[in-house]
Amino acid sequence: MGSKVRVTDLSPTEAMRMLQSEGHRRVYVDGGRVIQSFLRAGLIADMVITTVPVLLGEGRRLFGSLAGEIRLQHEKTKSYPSGLVQSRYRIAA
């Protein structure tokens, strides 16, 4: 089986167009700035937000600057013995 990871310098819209032409219906997007660019382009349908039980003194905003609020609809939350918590959300219409 070949690698499923792709690195590209295409815009989010161009990247999705390319992947759709190859028959892909869903893609996994990761990395703060990459996710921000896909959110700004309106290309995120759902997301999993993982919380690690460590408080940081400082840091970058998770989703950076956005043009406005993006409302989320909670679907489920799962906790793990380590304290890690994952919550799944759908972008509200």
Side-chain angles (χ1 to χ4, degrees):
M1 180 190 297
S3 174
K4 295 182 179 186
V5 175
R6 296 261 183 103
V7 177
T8 182
D9 62 354
L10 297 174
S11 72
T13 303
E14 292 168 333
M16 287 306 299
R17 195 174 299 125
M18 176 189 71
L19 292 167
Q20 287 173 339
S21 74
E22 296 174 2
H24 300 285
R25 296 180 61 200
R26 293 182 59 86
V27 298
Y28 173 83
V29 180
D30 201 356
R33 290 186 178 164
V34 174
I35 294 170
Q36 291 170 20
S37 66
F38 275 73
L39 278 169
R40 282 192 291 276
L43 296 171
I44 302 288
D46 57 72
M47 65 176 63
V48 174
I49 298 176
T50 302
T51 304
V52 179
V54 176
L55 295 177
L56 301 176
E58 294 183 26
R60 293 184 179 171
R61 293 175 59 179
L62 183 59
F63 297 106
S65 295
L66 298 170
E69 289 183 351
I70 297 176
R71 297 208 177 259
L72 305 175
Q73 179 180 355
H74 179 256
E75 293 186 333
K76 68 180 180 177
T77 295
K78 183 175 182 181
S79 62
Y80 296 87
S82 66
L84 186 129
V85 177
Q86 287 187 325
S87 295
R88 179 178 202 81
Y89 297 92
R90 177 156 305 282
I91 303 296

